[in-house]
Amino acid sequence: MIPLVDLKAQYQTIKTDIDTAVQRVIDSAYFVMGPEVTHFEQKWANFCQIPHAIGVASGTAAPHLVLAALNIGQGHEVITTTHTFIATAESIRHAGATPVLVDIDPRTYNINPQQIEAAITPHTRAIMPVHLYGQPAAMDAIQAIAKKHNLHIIEDAAQAHAATYAGKPIGQWGDAATFSFYPGKNLGAYGDAGAVITANQALAEKISMIRNHGRTQKYVHDLHGYGERLDAMQAAVLSVKIDHLAAWTAARRQVAQHYRQQLADLPLILPYEDPQAKHVYHLFVIQLENQKTRDHLLDHLKNNGIGASIHYPVPLHLQPALDHLGYMQGAFPHCEHAANTILSLPIFPELSKQHQQTIIQTVQSFFH
Ligand SMILES: *Cc1c(COP(=O)(O)O)cnc(C)c1O
């Protein structure tokens, strides 16, 4: 069995440092916020080459808190992509605002900047692009639209740790970028965790307060806040793992390169790389000619012990939970076609050459 992602394999490579860090937190009995969290925030801000990082409880809390800090809520609209994990839209709803969905660029699977302007209304306050699968959205075009219409940009970078666009690290294009450190993400904690990064000091201070009940000092609360703090155990684990992220990202890109070379001659579409983007391959997503072929290949891989999957089979505009938004089948044809024809192959830094070869040969055998 070759899994989609293997967290046990990674732990084995860093076990001593992780065990030491976790024990240190237990010995300190300082479990929520505190020095471990501050240390992690400094490390993550340095890594992202940005002044401020704020540790929060998850990658869903992160964009929610940014919206709240920007006073975006009831009566406001936030434009995002229909092809993403549901949490992107949930964070907008948690803030009290309405998600307005836009179709994708069929090559990159990211929000199509050309369709954003048509979705802008007098109620629009922000654009929330998602750097899906690890490839940054077309941030130059999105930034131009945001400037023209005086809108905020919040980058959902839950899948794109260490990615860059036009040579600039993600997070520096928008007012803020948000990360998830869910265990399977490119930088993963050992539980739920997330972060916001921003160059805006006032915004950073406000987010830092509202994640912790809006408090300024113990039992003094200046702002309406939330219980969305980061815990020390996760911060300690993440601080160990940050030191490996550059090497892990390089390893992911190498696996992607290998897949690319070996699968080039097959009747399938390989991931398109925007020449401006540094893709960090959270997922390696191939696309088949039609749904029947995709479903058969998925079965073939599963029957051969390969943990392939689909990200995501149901677009946001067709999710029952978002029914009230009123979108119909056919509203976003590029996303609907992608949802029916894409397939994610296993990719993670520890994926051995031998397992890569097995995966490649299994895909090849399907077509021969
Ligand atoms: C994982 C993910 C989230 C949510 O992160 P959690 O930490 O699980 O709350 C948000 N957006 C995208 C695109 C994600 O992939």
Side-chain angles (χ1 to χ4, degrees), residues 3 5-19 181-190 237-238 240-249 251-252 347-351:
V5 50
D6 187 348
L7 301 176
K8 286 184 184 172
Q10 186 177 75
Y11 173 58
Q12 287 312 315
T13 69
I14 51 174
K15 184 174 181 340
T16 313
D17 289 345
I18 291 283
D19 292 357
F181 305 118
Y182 188 76
K185 299 287 162 90
N186 286 24
L187 178 63
Y190 286 1
V237 167
L238 290 166
V240 170
K241 292 179 82 174
I242 286 174
D243 294 338
H244 300 275
L245 185 55
W248 287 337
T249 302
R252 284 177 182 274
I347 192 164
F348 50 91
E350 300 77 17
L351 186 62

Side-chain angles (χ1 to χ4, degrees), residues 175-360:
D175 295 72
T178 62
F179 295 94
S180 166
F181 305 118
Y182 188 76
K185 299 287 162 90
N186 286 24
L187 178 63
Y190 286 1
D192 275 309
V196 177
I197 60 170
T198 180
N200 179 333
Q201 186 176 344
L203 184 63
E205 283 169 4
K206 194 166 175 193
I207 292 166
S208 178
M209 281 172 68
I210 64 175
R211 74 173 154 177
N212 192 13
H213 306 289
R215 80 177 222 175
T216 40
Q217 45 179 299
K218 207 165 190 178
Y219 306 123
V220 180
H221 308 271
D222 280 10
L223 294 172
H224 173 69
Y226 303 88
E228 299 284 16
R229 295 171 299 220
L230 181 61
D231 72 76
M233 204 86 86
Q234 304 313 330
V237 167
L238 290 166
S239 292
V240 170
K241 292 179 82 174
I242 286 174
D243 294 338
H244 300 275
L245 185 55
W248 287 337
T249 302
R252 284 177 182 274
R253 286 168 54 84
Q254 245 167 19
V255 176
Q257 194 53 33
H258 188 212
Y259 280 158
R260 246 175 219 297
Q261 283 162 356
Q262 301 296 314
L263 302 176
D265 297 333
L266 299 177
L268 53 81
I269 299 168
L270 292 166
Y272 170 81
E273 284 194 13
D274 179 335
Q276 301 269 55
K278 183 188 172 194
H279 196 322
V280 296
Y281 289 98
H282 174 57
L283 294 167
F284 190 91
V285 175
I286 58 173
Q287 191 168 5
L288 287 305
E289 208 176 323
N290 55 50
Q291 184 165 11
K292 200 167 140 224
T293 310
R294 191 275 307 271
D295 291 347
H296 285 162
L297 176 57
L298 188 61
D299 286 344
H300 178 72
L301 289 163
K302 284 184 173 162
N303 292 339
N304 284 279
I306 294 167
S309 190
I310 300 170
H311 300 88
Y312 298 89
V314 183
L316 293 195
H317 70 281
L318 301 178
Q319 291 286 356
L322 295 172
D323 252 359
H324 64 284
L325 296 177
Y327 294 103
M328 296 293 164
Q329 181 96 36
F332 302 117
H334 289 307
C335 173
E336 289 175 24
H337 178 66
N340 290 334
T341 51
I342 51 176
L343 185 160
S344 310
L345 295 177
I347 192 164
F348 50 91
E350 300 77 17
L351 186 62
S352 69
K353 260 271 149 68
Q354 194 195 335
H355 279 171
Q356 291 172 43
Q357 214 50 48
T358 304
I359 293 162
I360 287 161

Side-chain angles (χ1 to χ4, degrees), residues 58-60 84-85 87-88 130 156 158-159 180-182 185 192-193 312:
S58 72
T60 310
T84 179
F85 181 56
T88 307
V130 179
D156 182 343
Q159 302 187 359
S180 166
F181 305 118
Y182 188 76
K185 299 287 162 90
D192 275 309
Y312 298 89

Side-chain angles (χ1 to χ4, degrees), residues 121-140:
T121 76
H123 306 293
T124 310
R125 291 294 177 277
I127 306 170
M128 197 184 285
V130 179
H131 305 316
L132 200 72
Y133 308 148
Q135 169 150 264
M139 292 313 297
D140 45 0

Side-chain angles (χ1 to χ4, degrees), residues 75-190:
H76 299 150
E77 295 171 356
V78 177
I79 295 173
T80 191
T81 169
T82 187
H83 190 52
T84 179
F85 181 56
I86 188 98
T88 307
E90 280 174 337
S91 72
I92 297 168
R93 296 200 63 211
H94 289 168
T98 303
V100 172
L101 304 175
V102 166
D103 206 354
I104 55 169
D105 174 336
R107 288 181 311 176
T108 62
Y109 309 109
N110 277 322
I111 191 167
N112 186 343
Q114 277 155 17
Q115 299 193 15
I116 291 176
E117 271 192 301
I120 295 174
T121 76
H123 306 293
T124 310
R125 291 294 177 277
I127 306 170
M128 197 184 285
V130 179
H131 305 316
L132 200 72
Y133 308 148
Q135 169 150 264
M139 292 313 297
D140 45 0
I142 293 168
Q143 200 177 51
I145 296 164
K147 277 210 174 111
K148 183 173 160 197
H149 296 271
N150 197 22
L151 301 173
H152 293 290
I153 298 175
I154 299 131
E155 303 172 55
D156 182 343
Q159 302 187 359
H161 318 73
T164 66
Y165 192 80
K168 194 154 95 172
I170 51 154
Q172 302 188 13
W173 292 89
D175 295 72
T178 62
F179 295 94
S180 166
F181 305 118
Y182 188 76
K185 299 287 162 90
N186 286 24
L187 178 63
Y190 286 1

